[in-house]
Coordinates of all heavy atoms in Angstrom, one line a residue:
A362 N 94.9 109.1 106.2 CA 94.4 107.8 106.8 C 93.6 107.1 105.7 O 92.7 107.7 105.1 CB 93.6 108.1 108.0
V363 N 94.0 105.9 105.4 CA 93.3 105.1 104.4 C 92.6 103.9 105.1 O 93.3 103.1 105.7 CB 94.3 104.6 103.3 CG1 93.6 103.7 102.3 CG2 95.1 105.7 102.7
F364 N 91.3 103.9 104.9 CA 90.5 102.7 105.5 C 90.1 101.9 104.3 O 89.8 102.4 103.2 CB 89.3 103.3 106.2 CG 89.5 103.8 107.5 CD1 89.8 105.2 107.7 CD2 89.5 103.0 108.7 CE1 90.0 105.7 109.0 CE2 89.7 103.5 109.9 CZ 90.0 104.9 110.1
T365 N 89.9 100.6 104.6 CA 89.4 99.7 103.6 C 88.0 99.3 104.0 O 87.8 98.8 105.1 CB 90.3 98.4 103.4 OG1 91.6 98.9 103.1 CG2 89.7 97.5 102.4
A366 N 87.0 99.5 103.1 CA 85.6 99.1 103.4 C 84.8 99.1 102.2 O 85.1 99.8 101.2 CB 85.0 100.1 104.4
G367 N 83.7 98.3 102.2 CA 82.8 98.3 101.1 C 82.2 99.7 100.8 O 82.2 100.5 101.7
P368 N 81.6 99.9 99.7 CA 81.0 101.2 99.3 C 79.9 101.6 100.2 O 79.6 102.8 100.3 CB 80.6 101.0 97.8 CG 80.5 99.6 97.6 CD 81.4 98.9 98.6
G369 N 79.2 100.7 100.8 CA 78.0 101.2 101.7 C 78.4 101.5 103.1 O 77.5 101.8 103.9
T370 N 79.7 101.3 103.5 CA 80.1 101.5 104.9 C 80.2 103.0 105.2 O 81.1 103.7 104.5 CB 81.4 100.8 105.2 OG1 81.3 99.5 104.8 CG2 81.8 100.9 106.6
P371 N 79.5 103.6 106.1 CA 79.6 105.0 106.5 C 81.0 105.3 107.1 O 81.5 104.4 107.9 CB 78.5 105.2 107.5 CG 77.5 104.1 107.3 CD 78.4 102.9 106.8
L372 N 81.5 106.4 106.9 CA 82.8 106.8 107.4 C 82.7 106.8 109.0 O 83.6 106.3 109.6 CB 83.2 108.2 107.0 CG 84.5 108.8 107.6 CD1 85.7 107.9 107.2 CD2 84.7 110.2 107.1
E373 N 81.6 107.2 109.5 CA 81.5 107.2 111.0 C 81.6 105.9 111.6 O 82.2 105.7 112.7 CB 80.1 107.8 111.4 CG 80.0 109.3 111.1 CD 81.1 110.2 111.6 OE1 81.5 110.0 112.8 OE2 81.5 111.1 110.9
D374 N 81.2 104.8 110.9 CA 81.3 103.4 111.4 C 82.8 103.0 111.4 O 83.3 102.4 112.4 CB 80.5 102.5 110.6 CG 79.0 102.6 110.8 OD1 78.6 103.4 111.6 OD2 78.3 101.9 110.0
L375 N 83.5 103.4 110.4 CA 85.0 103.1 110.3 C 85.7 103.8 111.4 O 86.6 103.3 112.1 CB 85.5 103.5 109.0 CG 85.0 102.7 107.8 CD1 85.5 103.4 106.5 CD2 85.5 101.3 107.9
L376 N 85.4 105.1 111.7 CA 86.1 105.9 112.7 C 85.8 105.4 114.1 O 86.6 105.5 115.0 CB 85.8 107.4 112.5 CG 86.2 108.0 111.2 CD1 85.6 109.5 111.2 CD2 87.6 107.9 111.0
A377 N 84.6 104.9 114.3 CA 84.2 104.4 115.6 C 84.7 103.0 115.9 O 84.8 102.6 117.1 CB 82.7 104.4 115.7
S378 N 85.1 102.3 114.9 CA 85.5 100.9 115.1 C 87.0 100.8 115.6 O 87.9 101.5 115.2 CB 85.5 100.1 113.8 OG 86.0 98.8 113.9
E379 N 87.2 99.9 116.6 CA 88.5 99.7 117.1 C 89.2 98.6 116.3 O 90.4 98.3 116.5 CB 88.5 99.3 118.6 CG 88.1 100.5 119.5 CD 88.1 100.2 120.9 OE1 88.7 99.2 121.3 OE2 87.5 100.9 121.7
D380 N 88.4 97.9 115.5 CA 89.0 96.8 114.7 C 89.5 97.2 113.3 O 90.2 96.5 112.7 CB 87.9 95.7 114.6 CG 87.5 95.1 115.9 OD1 88.3 95.0 116.8 OD2 86.3 94.7 116.0
D381 N 89.0 98.3 112.8 CA 89.4 98.8 111.5 C 90.5 99.8 111.6 O 90.3 100.9 111.9 CB 88.2 99.4 110.8 CG 87.1 98.5 110.5 OD1 87.4 97.4 110.0 OD2 85.9 98.8 110.7
W382 N 91.7 99.3 111.4 CA 92.9 100.1 111.5 C 93.2 100.7 110.2 O 93.3 100.0 109.1 CB 94.1 99.3 111.9 CG 94.1 98.8 113.4 CD1 93.0 98.8 114.2 CD2 95.2 98.3 114.1 NE1 93.4 98.3 115.4 CE2 94.7 98.0 115.4 CE3 96.5 98.1 113.8 CZ2 95.6 97.5 116.4 CZ3 97.3 97.6 114.8 CH2 96.9 97.3 116.0
P383 N 93.5 102.0 110.1 CA 93.8 102.6 108.8 C 95.3 102.5 108.5 O 96.1 102.3 109.4 CB 93.5 104.1 109.1 CG 93.7 104.3 110.5 CD 93.3 103.0 111.2
I384 N 95.6 102.6 107.2 CA 97.0 102.8 106.8 C 97.2 104.3 106.8 O 96.4 105.1 106.3 CB 97.2 102.2 105.4 CG1 96.9 100.8 105.3 CG2 98.6 102.5 104.9 CD1 96.8 100.2 103.9
I385 N 98.4 104.7 107.4 CA 98.7 106.1 107.4 C 99.8 106.3 106.4 O 100.9 105.7 106.4 CB 99.3 106.5 108.8 CG1 98.2 106.2 109.9 CG2 99.7 108.0 108.8 CD1 96.9 107.0 109.7
L386 N 99.6 107.2 105.4 CA 100.5 107.6 104.4 C 101.0 109.0 104.8 O 100.3 109.9 105.1 CB 99.9 107.6 103.0 CG 99.3 106.3 102.5 CD1 98.6 106.6 101.2 CD2 100.3 105.3 102.4
A387 N 102.3 109.2 104.6 CA 102.9 110.5 104.9 C 102.9 111.3 103.6 O 102.7 110.7 102.5 CB 104.4 110.3 105.3

Side-chain angles (χ1 to χ4, degrees):
V363 180
F364 285 92
T365 301
T370 306
L372 177 61
E373 294 305 320
D374 290 354
L375 294 171
L376 298 175
S378 173
E379 292 183 17
D380 297 329
D381 293 317
W382 289 16
I384 298 170
I385 303 298
L386 300 176

